[in-house]
Amino acid sequence: MVQRISNDYRITLRSPSTPHQVATPDDKRKNWFVDPNAMDASGQPDMKARSFGKDGSRFKAVKFERKAIPDPTVGERDVSELTVEDIVRGNTLVLVMGKEQNLADYEVKFQFRLKVVADIPPVKKGGTFRIPGHESTTYKVIDILEDSAVISPLKADGTPDGELVVKKG
């Protein structure tokens, strides 16, 4: 492993008032205004008013909960929460007022060093690669950590055949 590459995707709840402002500074569009309780004219959930991110279809606002905690400096601090469904990843996350979250996707860059140095293009988690000069084996990236990557050679049927930890350096 030569390098872990971070493709940042930061997201922050900026306003507890409806419609709630959500900032996505790594998107072309930086701010979105969403309402998890919005209804259209027919009384059905208004998906356009609930959706945001990338082209407006990455996330869906599900629920907003107003919360506050005591703060010795200002008396009370807003820690309201917006529950969001990440449609791309298929999971749910909770945005806390004013706290930035980074939903980074990681890639890993490998180098094969046996007699000759062969650079392998960056591979995302779940992606596959082959080592130049040794193409008979396909490897799958299982996990990408700060200082290592977990890979697995694939059997002929595409199933993993054990795990290997590749350290950085």
Side-chain angles (χ1 to χ4, degrees):
M1 176 178 164
V2 175
Q3 177 184 15
R4 178 177 87 157
I5 303 164
S6 176
N7 299 308
D8 292 335
Y9 192 90
R10 296 169 295 155
I11 184 169
T12 309
L13 174 62
R14 291 247 173 105
S15 169
S17 303
T18 305
H20 310 289
Q21 181 184 7
V22 179
T24 54
D26 299 309
D27 262 350
K28 187 166 53 172
R29 180 173 170 186
K30 307 294 184 204
N31 290 288
W32 303 83
F33 294 90
V34 297
D35 182 357
N37 301 316
M39 299 292 187
D40 63 18
S42 66
Q44 297 298 313
D46 185 346
M47 297 317 292
K48 187 173 181 182
R50 295 173 186 225
S51 301
F52 66 99
K54 297 234 182 210
D55 60 357
S57 63
R58 165 89 195 250
F59 301 101
K60 180 174 77 173
V62 177
K63 176 180 88 172
F64 179 79
E65 189 174 344
R66 189 171 299 280
K67 290 185 175 182
I69 59 171
D71 186 308
T73 308
V74 294
E76 190 173 81
R77 188 164 44 108
D78 189 346
V79 290
S80 296
E81 297 177 346
L82 180 66
T83 302
V84 172
E85 180 184 334
D86 185 339
I87 297 164
V88 171
R89 293 184 177 173
N91 64 341
T92 301
L93 58 133
V94 177
L95 302 178
V96 178
M97 180 67 191
K99 300 250 185 206
E100 182 177 273
Q101 287 191 36
N102 191 348
L103 308 177
D105 284 324
Y106 296 104
E107 293 178 295
V108 62
K109 186 174 180 184
F110 293 106
Q111 224 177 39
F112 184 68
R113 301 173 191 165
L114 182 62
K115 296 181 184 175
V116 149
V117 175
D119 287 319
I120 298 169
V123 185
K124 290 184 177 187
K125 182 177 176 178
T128 60
F129 67 95
R130 290 187 174 162
I131 298 171
H134 303 275
E135 286 86 1
S136 61
T137 303
T138 300
Y139 295 88
K140 181 176 184 175
V141 177
I142 306 298
D143 201 4
I144 302 171
L145 307 170
E146 184 76 31
D147 62 348
S148 63
V150 180
I151 64 172
S152 175
L154 298 178
K155 297 178 188 175
D157 65 359
T159 58
D161 188 19
E163 291 186 353
L164 304 166
V165 176
V166 181
K167 299 271 185 192
K168 188 174 184 179

